[in-house]
Amino acid sequence: MSTQIEITINGDRYQGTVENRTLLVDFIRETAELTGTHVGCASEGRCGACTVLMNGEAVKSCLLLAVQADGFEVQTIEGLANNGKLHPLQEAFWENHGLQCGYCTPGMLMALSEFLKNPSRDEHEIRTAMSGVLCPCTGYVHIVDSVKAAVDKLEAMDPHDREQLFAPIGEV
Ligand code: FES
Ligand code: FES
């Protein structure tokens, strides 16, 4: 059985007729051709590489059907930078060696971008926020350092600019 759906991804509308069993991650990667969202397990919810924001909340896009996202706003890693300027979290990962192979990084950044709406340097809170995303490479220490650096960057920003970072993409 198929259904006609429309999902807004990074501010752009994508329409399609999908089989009802189509996963959201497959819609993102194949219909929208946004391949920055990765699949790191057998779409079983174990790795978190497929994490995106759906109406601002971090979700594993392999655990949702595309039809469940019909009418929703989705943000993927391709939508994290704004007008060619990296998100402070991306800058912090770059500057603090928060990645090695980079396979987990899109999902890690999306999960942590939700966390930064209520930023904290508390290590336990940071580790809890990233606990849904596995990173076999880094040992996580540099990722935690990167998040703390991103919190510093956010606090140094003009409050209006900081607010814009978390506004729905169509409203920026
Ligand atoms: S692809 Fe592994 S949790 Fe979604
Ligand atoms: S950087 Fe390689 S899996 Fe995280």
Side-chain angles (χ1 to χ4, degrees):
M1 192 172 153
S2 300
T3 303
Q4 168 92 25
I5 61 171
E6 178 180 288
I7 304 175
T8 301
I9 307 178
N10 304 329
D12 295 322
R13 290 182 186 174
Y14 294 88
Q15 294 175 330
T17 302
V18 297
E19 286 192 38
N20 287 358
R21 64 182 178 177
T22 301
L23 300 177
L24 176 58
V25 68
D26 293 330
F27 185 89
I28 291 169
R29 288 178 56 83
E30 293 165 20
T31 303
E33 298 183 340
L34 295 167
T35 54
T37 300
H38 291 163
V39 175
C41 61
S43 295
E44 304 165 321
R46 282 188 295 112
C47 73
C50 63
T51 302
V52 299
L53 301 186
M54 196 162 116
N55 282 11
E57 280 187 32
V59 296
K60 292 180 179 174
S61 58
C62 75
L63 293 183
L64 286 166
L65 299 170
V67 292
Q68 292 176 290
D70 185 23
F72 280 71
E73 302 261 350
V74 169
Q75 188 180 11
T76 69
I77 189 64
E78 288 89 347
L80 199 55
N82 186 16
N83 288 329
K85 177 155 174 36
L86 292 180
H87 188 284
L89 191 55
Q90 292 171 304
E91 290 179 348
F93 266 60
W94 175 266
E95 292 162 359
N96 294 275
H97 311 288
L99 65 147
Q100 288 187 18
C101 79
Y103 200 84
C104 72
T105 308
M108 192 67 86
L109 288 171
M110 296 318 291
L112 289 168
S113 71
E114 184 199 23
F115 172 71
L116 286 181
K117 287 182 198 165
N118 297 297
S120 165
R121 278 190 205 77
D122 181 272
E123 183 141 347
H124 177 71
E125 289 182 24
I126 293 171
R127 285 183 179 271
T128 300
M130 61 199 248
S131 62
V133 187
L134 296 180
C135 176
C137 297
T138 62
Y140 301 99
V141 172
H142 289 301
I143 296 179
V144 173
D145 290 345
S146 300
V147 178
K148 290 178 181 172
V151 173
D152 291 342
K153 284 175 183 287
L154 284 175
E155 288 182 352
M157 282 176 79
D158 175 86
H160 175 74
D161 292 344
R162 191 168 59 224
E163 211 173 281
Q164 291 300 303
L165 276 182
F166 300 106
I169 287 180
E171 296 175 18
V172 173

